[in-house]
Amino acid sequence: MTPARRRRLGVLLALMVLAAVAAGLLGYALRSNINLFFSPSQVAAGEAPVGRQIRAGGMVETGSVARDADSLAVTFTVTDFQASLEVAYQGILPDLFREGQGVVVVGRLADDGVLQADQVLAKHDENYMPPEVADALAAAGKSPADYRRTE
């Protein structure tokens, strides 16, 4: 092998190593920003990581919303009609939040199984349901159309 080819091979190998290191660092940095979606059944089965930020969604169970009279704290239950997930939230809920509607909550799952929500996302019109919630209901053998409000 000539010295010119050896030098080119060395430069090529160095670039490949640098690209691999950059890709590894990028993946490591983005790992903490990924919010995976879990249905209440998956959380109940232990598939959701405890202490890491996740998204969970389903329908707000009727009669499950409890508001603290002295603060903005609220607790409610999200269900996919196979399992339920208790959610605790501190803050102002979206205007469209109500019982019997689809929601997606973003937060951390505590050791006691309660999702400490940082954000609650509610549907924006009568025909919309978050795709993750619709998929979770379909996996449970339910139709999202069965749970839409008819007023």
Side-chain angles (χ1 to χ4, degrees):
M1 186 179 290
T2 64
R5 282 189 175 181
R6 187 173 292 146
R7 190 173 26 248
R8 282 187 209 144
L9 182 60
V11 168
L12 181 64
L13 287 175
L15 288 175
M16 289 176 63
V17 168
L18 286 174
V21 168
L25 290 174
L26 181 65
Y28 181 76
L30 292 177
R31 182 182 67 164
S32 63
N33 292 331
I34 295 174
N35 296 334
L36 298 176
F37 179 84
F38 294 93
S39 68
S41 295
Q42 291 173 311
V43 173
E47 296 177 24
V50 175
R52 286 198 55 202
Q53 187 164 338
I54 63 168
R55 290 183 304 142
M59 306 297 281
V60 178
E61 279 188 1
T62 303
S64 69
V65 178
R67 299 174 193 270
D68 185 8
D70 298 328
S71 69
L72 293 176
V74 62
T75 60
F76 56 93
T77 304
V78 175
T79 184
D80 62 359
F81 303 103
Q82 287 185 337
S84 296
L85 173 64
E86 188 73 23
V87 178
Y89 179 67
Q90 179 76 28
I92 299 173
L93 289 168
D95 290 337
L96 297 174
F97 176 88
R98 61 183 174 259
E99 295 175 349
Q101 294 297 314
V103 295
V104 173
V105 292
V106 179
R108 297 189 188 311
L109 188 62
D111 291 329
D112 60 358
V114 176
L115 183 72
Q116 300 295 326
D118 300 322
Q119 188 176 22
V120 176
L121 307 169
K123 66 188 206 90
H124 72 279
D125 70 14
E126 287 302 316
N127 298 319
Y128 177 75
M129 180 175 292
E132 296 93 345
V133 174
D135 292 343
L137 289 175
K142 307 288 183 181
S143 170
D146 295 340
Y147 302 100
R148 290 200 173 101
R149 291 178 67 107
T150 55
E151 294 180 2

